[in-house]
Amino acid sequence: MEAEPTPMTQQPSATDVLSAALEVREAARHAVRGKGGADAVLTALSAVIDHDHASLSRWDPLLRRHVTLAGSYPAGTNRYIETRLHDDPAFALMRHAPGSTSWWHDVPAPVRRASTGFQEVLEPLGVQDGVAQCLFSTDGRYVGILNISTTRIRCDQPAVRAVMTLLGESLAAVADPLAGHRSPGPGGSGHTCAVLLPDADNADHAEGAAPVTLSGEPLPGLTEAGSPLVALLRRTAARRTLPATVLVPYRQRMLELHLTRQGDRTVAVCRTVTRPAALSPRELEVLAELTQGRTNREIADRLYVSPRTVATHIEHILAKLDVPNRVAAAGRAVAWGLEPAP
């Protein structure tokens, strides 16, 4: 004998739903800026959908699994979302749904019967409606998923459907490891990419695991575990308080590296920028060495040039920066965040 459906509660008006959606967007902005958490976003969402359970999860490209940022599902359900959802037959449907939003009653019956999530996780909880919303960054990366479940039937009135689609970008920003971490910096932008760098201490060998590309086409050496450029990233992350931005002369390019922490990893956003003060690539290399207090002989040995050549470069540097001595030049470089080339 079928159980009687749970009586429907009074549906909020379209105006109420829109007002609640604005609160969700504001909570998401606070979370991205580090002024609030993902739990506040889910709390605000409860005014859009009166849910029994919800979770907001980030996709981790290193672990190849979801990581819960905030949630109220039972522990077993959270484990399923984190470790098995991406292999569920229903997940492919969710990833390609219009607006990447799948409502409970829209999922075809054959898919629901084949889905472990529906059969073994949600239905035993008494779930009768809900939504799964795959989240994508503005540049198209899959960054996570929102799951909302309710034991009351039909929470998907037209106003709610509309605002959930509109909220996708704000919710994705909360899950995106790059959101809020893109440094504008001086000098204009060129090639831009981003990688996720695991800590060497948590890897299987001394150099650490290779970084994983998050966006863009990585520069040569940026995804090789033992490369000089990756070693520079690790040293910078270890000795600086993050977030931090450094400038590095690298293969005739000027790189801006913006580093932030995400749990036990480092997110590095890398872009090419205009060389400051019209300094040449070699002058920037010499200037970066000055920040380490090295003598002309030491710089010459490191750059494979003569001490006289180093002295000439320093004369040009002082003139272009309009500073009286090498100490002042080094101070200017430190203020820029200039680091010696790897």
Side-chain angles (χ1 to χ4, degrees):
M1 182 175 180
E2 293 187 1
E4 295 184 2
T6 304
M8 293 181 63
T9 58
Q10 184 177 357
Q11 301 287 1
S13 67
T15 300
D16 291 337
V17 171
L18 180 58
S19 177
L22 294 176
E23 294 297 324
V24 174
R25 189 172 65 176
E26 190 64 21
R29 286 176 176 170
H30 283 298
V32 170
R33 295 169 183 166
K35 298 180 180 179
D39 52 345
V41 177
L42 293 186
T43 298
L45 271 170
S46 65
V48 177
I49 300 176
D50 184 16
H51 56 257
D52 295 282
H53 308 287
S55 73
L56 182 60
S57 305
R58 168 181 289 150
W59 175 250
D60 189 315
L62 281 173
L63 300 177
R64 300 295 300 172
R65 54 171 282 182
H66 290 95
V67 176
T68 301
L69 300 178
S72 58
Y73 283 98
T77 306
N78 274 334
R79 283 195 299 272
Y80 168 79
I81 292 172
E82 291 189 336
T83 62
R84 298 174 62 192
L85 173 61
H86 57 282
D87 291 326
D88 194 291
F91 184 69
L93 176 68
M94 289 186 274
R95 284 285 301 264
H96 297 95
S100 300
T101 303
S102 293
W103 295 84
W104 178 279
H105 296 286
D106 292 343
V107 178
V111 176
R112 291 172 65 168
R113 288 193 295 268
S115 168
T116 302
F118 276 93
Q119 298 297 317
E120 300 180 14
V121 180
L122 295 178
E123 290 185 0
L125 286 177
V127 174
Q128 297 191 53
D129 201 7
V131 61
Q133 186 167 8
C134 290
L135 305 174
F136 296 87
S137 66
T138 55
D139 57 7
R141 289 174 292 110
Y142 174 70
V143 295
I145 189 167
L146 170 74
N147 288 282
I148 293 179
S149 300
T150 175
T151 57
R152 292 167 293 281
I153 60 174
R154 307 313 300 224
C155 65
D156 61 337
Q157 67 263 37
V160 174
R161 281 181 175 252
V163 300
M164 289 305 298
T165 299
L166 294 174
L167 286 172
E169 185 174 330
S170 295
L171 296 172
V174 179
D176 186 358
L178 299 183
H181 298 326
R182 292 180 175 84
S183 170
S189 63
H191 178 94
T192 302
C193 60
V195 297
L196 190 63
L197 182 73
D199 281 353
D201 291 344
N202 294 335
D204 294 332
H205 46 87
E207 294 157 339
V212 173
T213 302
L214 291 176
S215 69
E217 182 67 25
L219 294 169
L222 196 55
T223 55
E224 300 170 11
S227 76
L229 185 54
V230 172
L232 171 68
L233 291 178
R234 293 193 189 283
R235 290 196 304 271
T236 302
R239 71 171 185 258
R240 286 178 177 258
T241 300
L242 301 187
T245 301
V246 298
L247 297 178
V248 181
Y250 182 70
R251 298 187 179 182
Q252 299 298 306
R253 300 176 178 178
M254 193 68 198
L255 300 186
E256 179 193 74
L257 304 173
H258 184 62
L259 284 69
T260 57
R261 294 295 292 174
Q262 181 193 317
D264 60 352
R265 298 91 183 273
T266 300
V267 175
V269 178
C270 174
R271 68 179 188 135
T272 56
V273 295
T274 303
R275 296 190 299 272
L279 294 168
S280 71
R282 181 61 87 181
E283 288 166 352
L284 282 166
E285 290 178 344
V286 172
L287 180 58
E289 297 295 335
L290 290 179
T291 67
Q292 307 303 304
R294 296 188 173 110
T295 65
N296 287 12
R297 169 60 68 181
E298 291 170 333
I299 296 172
D301 290 343
R302 286 176 56 82
L303 300 183
Y304 303 103
V305 296
S306 70
R308 181 180 293 276
T309 299
V310 172
T312 300
H313 285 313
I314 292 176
E315 289 178 9
H316 294 164
I317 291 168
L318 299 183
K320 289 181 179 181
L321 297 184
D322 192 24
V323 293
N325 53 50
R326 60 197 295 146
V327 174
R332 181 78 60 85
V334 168
W336 290 340
L338 188 63
E339 292 274 348

